[in-house]
Amino acid sequence: MSKSKEYSESGNPIYRYSDRQHEWRSPEYGEEEWIKKIEDHVSQYIGESDSVFHEILSDVVHIDVHVIKPVPERNYYTLFTTGMSFMPMSTPEGAEGFEYAELMICLPPDWPILQEDLENPDHYWPIRWLKMLARFPHDYDTWLGWEHTMPNGDPAEPLSRQTGMSGIILLPPLEVDEDFLTLDMEDGRTVHFYSVVPLYSEEMDFKLKHGSDPLLDKFEEYGVNELVDLKRRNTCEAG
């Protein structure tokens, strides 16, 4: 496996990864106590999961995706991973303490989420991205964290036929209590929780050129948060 690094106009590193080259490895499974702490933490601040998409065949780490149904006070689906934090990520100097993470994505209440619905790639992509992103740092000996972006291919293609957005950014969720963002595992390790937020290509380009803060200012101006809106305004659209 190899990776190359270059820098954007804003001075942030850009990593380009070749195809994974290691052989199939038996997955790491989290201890029941570790998994339960994550589930209890999410349940306390967001709600109890109603179902789980269990991974049947796993490589490196075992990733499950839990589903919390909409309720009146949080009228959208919340999907979150367990498994990404079973192994530490290879964080660089200056990012100590961010080795462990789990991911979430929030979908509209009418999102088709039944098993038969998910045979359609236009419905399944959020789960596919959660699984792919959760495994990515362990496949490539790297890390993912706050404000990291990833395009859907090179060149980037739309995430589905229902949207023009073609990449993602990882951000702390906004529509939660601040105490939800981190989970102290009481053994010196801390799990950080990030939302997967879809991006338009222009927004990815803007972030590369100007950095994260100006993009987040635009998100605040236009009310962009962790709830996926396939038709939301492109905050960096020309004109």
Side-chain angles (χ1 to χ4, degrees), residues 1 3 17 22 25 60-61 63 83-85 87-91 98-99 101 103 130-145 148 150 170:
M1 163 203 65
K3 60 185 178 182
Y17 295 85
H22 69 67
R25 296 186 304 192
V60 185
V61 286
I63 307 296
M84 184 177 181
S85 64
M87 292 173 60
M89 297 182 287
S90 298
T91 52
F98 291 87
E99 296 92 344
L103 306 175
L130 285 175
K131 288 174 173 278
M132 181 271 289
L133 290 168
R135 181 168 282 106
F136 182 84
H138 306 302
D139 278 344
Y140 292 97
D141 192 29
T142 186
W143 74 300
L144 290 175
H148 286 186
M150 185 178 294
L170 297 183

Side-chain angles (χ1 to χ4, degrees), residues 35 38-39 62-66 80-84 86 102:
I35 299 172
I38 294 173
E39 292 176 335
H62 178 84
I63 307 296
D64 288 331
V65 176
H66 304 246
F80 69 95
T81 62
T82 54
M84 184 177 181
F86 294 171
E102 297 289 353

Side-chain angles (χ1 to χ4, degrees), residues 128-129 152 155-167 201:
R128 180 175 65 84
W129 270 82
N152 184 32
E157 298 181 355
L159 296 168
S160 78
R161 294 174 297 179
Q162 299 172 329
T163 184
M165 291 185 281
S166 57
S201 293

Side-chain angles (χ1 to χ4, degrees), residues 9-141:
E9 291 185 54
S10 63
N12 292 315
I14 301 172
Y15 295 91
R16 300 186 189 276
Y17 295 85
S18 65
D19 290 340
R20 196 184 76 169
Q21 294 178 0
H22 69 67
E23 299 294 329
W24 182 276
R25 296 186 304 192
S26 298
E28 292 283 342
Y29 289 84
E31 297 177 1
E32 289 187 14
E33 182 180 356
W34 182 278
I35 299 172
K36 188 175 188 308
K37 282 185 177 181
I38 294 173
E39 292 176 335
D40 288 347
H41 181 75
V42 176
S43 177
Q44 177 183 355
Y45 290 102
I46 296 179
E48 292 188 18
S49 59
D50 299 276
S51 59
V52 183
F53 293 105
H54 291 284
E55 199 165 55
I56 305 302
L57 194 61
S58 301
D59 177 24
V60 185
V61 286
H62 178 84
I63 307 296
D64 288 331
V65 176
H66 304 246
V67 180
I68 303 173
K69 290 182 179 178
V71 292
E73 58 271 24
R74 289 179 63 87
N75 189 29
Y76 42 86
Y77 286 100
T78 301
L79 281 59
F80 69 95
T81 62
T82 54
M84 184 177 181
S85 64
F86 294 171
M87 292 173 60
M89 297 182 287
S90 298
T91 52
E93 184 178 352
E96 297 85 356
F98 291 87
E99 296 92 344
Y100 301 92
E102 297 289 353
L103 306 175
M104 59 183 282
I105 194 167
C106 296
L107 303 175
D110 58 352
W111 193 275
I113 202 88
L114 297 178
Q115 191 68 50
E116 55 267 30
D117 297 324
L118 299 178
E119 295 177 7
N120 184 336
D122 288 337
H123 304 152
Y124 182 68
W125 70 262
I127 297 174
R128 180 175 65 84
W129 270 82
L130 285 175
K131 288 174 173 278
M132 181 271 289
L133 290 168
R135 181 168 282 106
F136 182 84
H138 306 302
D139 278 344
Y140 292 97
D141 192 29

